[in-house]
Amino acid sequence: MKEIDWSNLSFGYMKTDYNVRCYYRDGKWGELELCSEETLNIHMAATCLHYGQEAFEGLKAYRGKDGKIRIFRPEANAERLQSTCRGILMPEFSTEKFCEAVKMVVKANERFIPPYESGASLYIRPLLIGTGAQVGVHPANEYLFVIFVTPVGPYFKGGFATNPYVIIRQYDRAAPLGTGTYKVGGNYAASLRANKIAHDAGYASEFYLDAKEKKYIDECGAANFFGIKNNTYVTPLSTSILPSITNRSLMQLAEDMGLKVERRPIPEEELTTFEEAGACGTAAVISPIERIDDLENHKSYVISKDGKPGPISEKLYHKLRAIQYGDEADPYGWVTVLD
């Protein structure tokens, strides 16, 4: 194994030793299998290729100061995958089997878990796809569940630093009663064009308003939005937003820090009132927002006046990271410590 520069990892794919697979055939899931092959052999008429019958998840494992390996909230990812399965008619993968598979793949690739304080972590990507051949628009009769891992650096190159976002109205990532609440690839394919427009214009990511009225805040690219004002943590309530496990965790931490927590529709004009704001998700944890530009209406909502993360966002970020790395006690039972 060549020497890895742990402190300069990108958020990208690196070949590791093993992945874990499980097949669904004849109406039931089989046993978990350890595999060293990176490719999948699937039928050209598989439903995942033609009708988007696929779902994925994302979570991380961390190496603590004590050398122990901690996985953050795998049960929550299992439950979200099950919700997606119900949404697009795939057989559910049990929480017990999901967590067993996560632990198996992390242990098998232990040498790829970055050292403590390197700023890097082990990204875990579960994937569930319809592999049965189907020409009509129907669910498959066979499925494959696979988990691979890869060491990753920070999602944004600057790490925990403020970023600019831009409101894009001409594209929507998900319809109000569509698949926005499920983690399916189609939502991300729908975001690629808007994301490129934002990047080409020098922004960290695109910022979506609701697809129906273009009036309320939806998501920050592929992440959930939150705003802080008057000692209150405010995050959108919408039928087209993916329920972020990171956002759920931050809401709990905010409440325990004495903040009021509100989940409700947030009109665009309310952006002028926030003292702090951020995008949150597994990849970056929190990406503090510097400003959100509305180019069509010649407005700029400047959140961070000094260009730095706000004090509450900073406290939430460091608190969650401390739990993930084992630097602080985990009173919530969020972390799975490997033996």
Side-chain angles (χ1 to χ4, degrees), residues 173-181 187 210-211 218-219 238-242:
R173 62 171 288 281
L177 298 176
T179 57
T181 56
N187 297 339
D210 73 287
D218 243 26
E219 290 207 304
S238 164
T239 56
S240 59
I241 291 176
L242 182 74

Side-chain angles (χ1 to χ4, degrees), residues 199-212:
H199 282 172
D200 288 350
Y203 295 93
S205 191
E206 73 279 22
F207 196 88
Y208 293 104
L209 301 178
D210 73 287
K212 189 175 182 180

Side-chain angles (χ1 to χ4, degrees), residues 147-290:
I147 306 187
F148 64 86
V149 298
T150 182
V152 295
Y155 190 74
F156 292 108
K157 286 180 183 175
F160 186 67
T162 58
N163 287 293
Y165 288 75
V166 61
I167 292 172
I168 303 259
R169 287 187 177 80
Q170 61 266 50
Y171 300 105
D172 297 313
R173 62 171 288 281
L177 298 176
T179 57
T181 56
Y182 309 128
K183 200 165 176 66
V184 295
N187 297 339
Y188 296 81
S191 74
L192 292 176
R193 193 163 183 183
N195 186 258
K196 185 177 187 307
I197 290 169
H199 282 172
D200 288 350
Y203 295 93
S205 191
E206 73 279 22
F207 196 88
Y208 293 104
L209 301 178
D210 73 287
K212 189 175 182 180
E213 298 181 82
K214 302 290 186 187
K215 183 179 175 182
Y216 299 98
I217 295 167
D218 243 26
E219 290 207 304
C220 309
N224 277 193
F225 170 85
F226 72 88
I228 306 286
K229 66 175 185 177
N230 304 326
N231 207 44
T232 304
Y233 182 105
V234 188
T235 194
L237 180 64
S238 164
T239 56
S240 59
I241 291 176
L242 182 74
S244 162
I245 292 161
T246 303
N247 198 5
R248 270 173 57 189
S249 307
L250 292 172
M251 282 189 266
Q252 181 67 64
L253 293 179
E255 202 169 76
D256 292 350
M257 280 165 48
L259 275 74
K260 185 180 174 186
V261 172
E262 293 179 357
R263 286 189 71 217
R264 58 172 173 79
I266 305 171
E268 181 195 337
E269 56 269 23
E270 193 175 342
L271 287 171
T272 61
T273 69
F274 288 116
E275 299 149 21
E276 303 177 36
C280 60
T282 298
V285 182
I286 291 176
S287 172
I289 295 173
E290 179 196 356

Side-chain angles (χ1 to χ4, degrees), residues 4-14 16 58-64 69-72 106 109-125 148-155 281-285 317 321 324-325:
I4 297 173
D5 184 358
W6 298 110
S7 299
N8 289 297
L9 284 176
S10 66
F11 195 90
Y13 176 77
M14 177 189 292
T16 52
L59 61 159
K60 286 181 176 179
Y62 306 84
R63 193 184 296 278
I69 297 159
R70 292 168 173 83
I71 304 166
F72 188 67
V106 171
N109 295 285
E110 190 172 336
R111 70 193 184 106
F112 289 96
I113 302 173
Y116 178 74
E117 285 188 333
S118 63
S121 54
L122 188 74
Y123 186 75
I124 306 163
R125 170 54 60 88
F148 64 86
V149 298
T150 182
V152 295
Y155 190 74
T282 298
V285 182
Y317 174 80
R321 296 264 294 175
Q324 290 171 334
Y325 279 95

